[in-house]
Amino acid sequence: VFCSGSRSSKTFKPKKNIPEGSHQYELLKHAEATLGSGNLRMAVMLPEGEDLNEWVAVNTVDFFNQINMLYGTITDFCTEESCPVMSAGPKYEYHWADGTNIKKPIKCSAPKYIDYLMTWVQDQLDDETLFPSKIGVPFPKNFMSVAKTILKRLFRVYAHIYHQHFDPVIQLQEEAHLNTSFKHFIFFVQEFNLIDRRELAPLQELIEKLTSKDR
């Protein structure tokens, strides 16, 4: 497992960096500044004059990094033995397929599923034709549908952590961090209608609880 000194800096996969000095980096800084104000509804809104694809791209990278770090803190608890299937509570089980290497969904353990999932997301984020980092390079026509698939899958990692590993999260005092990250994620996908309501069902009660205070 990746370990660099303190526990909190452990990420599951290498962090995806947005190049400094780029417009996307400025957008990320803007997102961080508005997040600091504590108003998440405001923080997720498209900044005036900005391109929606670019805003979604920057935030998707950011959520990948956040989930990467959150999952990194609990990898010791998510093992082949503890999580032989990838689930989010007793009613929801996920089977992995990426449509290219694995076309027919396979049943696998949670650590294996999350490894497949995060590697797949990483490959999408590193693909310059999908996530262009250079100024003036247009986003592809299918960008939004790719982004929606990425976010739908990242949601499953939150769902697994909440359902199967919430006790260690509390022990590690990561609970506030997890809740803030998830709440930010939910406000973002709600603002731009990026994840189908059905997909969010495993955490529906939590979503209502976290978002009701901010209506």
Side-chain angles (χ1 to χ4, degrees):
V1 187
F2 302 95
C3 205
S4 50
S6 79
R7 185 170 191 102
S8 61
S9 63
K10 214 162 93 170
T11 62
F12 178 57
K13 297 272 170 202
K15 190 171 188 281
K16 169 79 181 162
N17 289 316
I18 289 176
E20 252 178 271
S22 66
H23 182 61
Q24 292 187 8
Y25 188 77
E26 296 307 310
L27 271 182
L28 183 66
K29 287 282 155 260
H30 169 87
E32 283 168 1
T34 45
L35 269 178
S37 74
N39 185 337
L40 288 170
R41 283 254 181 254
M42 291 288 292
V44 297
M45 288 175 182
L46 180 66
E48 211 170 321
E50 292 297 345
D51 173 46
L52 180 60
N53 284 345
E54 196 149 36
W55 183 238
V56 169
V58 165
N59 281 279
T60 300
V61 169
D62 192 35
F63 288 127
F64 168 78
N65 286 334
Q66 288 184 42
I67 291 167
N68 202 357
M69 205 166 82
L70 287 162
Y71 184 68
T73 60
I74 58 109
T75 46
D76 299 350
F77 305 94
C78 187
T79 63
E80 301 280 328
E81 291 72 43
S82 70
C83 303
V85 295
M86 173 63 180
S87 64
K91 288 206 298 248
Y92 301 95
E93 188 178 303
Y94 300 111
H95 298 174
W96 178 253
D98 57 13
T100 43
N101 301 323
I102 300 173
K103 290 193 169 70
K104 196 171 182 287
I106 55 168
K107 192 171 178 167
C108 53
S109 69
K112 193 148 207 104
Y113 184 101
I114 292 170
D115 193 19
Y116 279 136
L117 186 156
M118 297 300 269
T119 303
W120 177 84
V121 173
Q122 213 171 15
D123 291 344
Q124 311 302 304
L125 300 181
D126 287 340
D127 183 343
E128 280 288 326
T129 63
L130 275 178
F131 279 78
S133 60
K134 293 173 186 63
I135 292 188
V137 178
F139 282 85
K141 293 219 177 351
N142 66 333
F143 173 74
M144 262 317 161
S145 70
V146 172
K148 284 177 175 177
T149 305
I150 291 173
L151 293 164
K152 174 180 83 176
R153 289 179 171 171
L154 287 175
F155 168 81
R156 295 171 180 176
V157 184
Y158 280 121
H160 180 72
I161 294 172
Y162 271 112
H163 276 283
Q164 313 301 134
H165 302 295
F166 199 58
D167 287 345
V169 166
I170 292 170
Q171 283 159 19
L172 294 164
Q173 298 179 317
E174 289 282 340
E175 187 186 353
H177 182 184
L178 174 65
N179 285 343
T180 305
S181 172
F182 181 62
K183 191 170 171 180
H184 180 201
F185 179 89
I186 285 301
F187 279 1
F188 190 81
V189 299
Q190 285 178 344
E191 175 73 14
F192 304 106
N193 209 2
L194 297 167
I195 301 184
D196 196 32
R197 223 186 126 87
R198 275 199 321 266
E199 285 286 337
L200 300 173
L203 294 178
Q204 197 48 51
E205 278 173 40
L206 176 70
I207 291 169
E208 280 164 19
K209 201 171 92 183
L210 288 177
T211 56
S212 65
K213 295 191 204 65
D214 291 84
R215 286 255 152 75

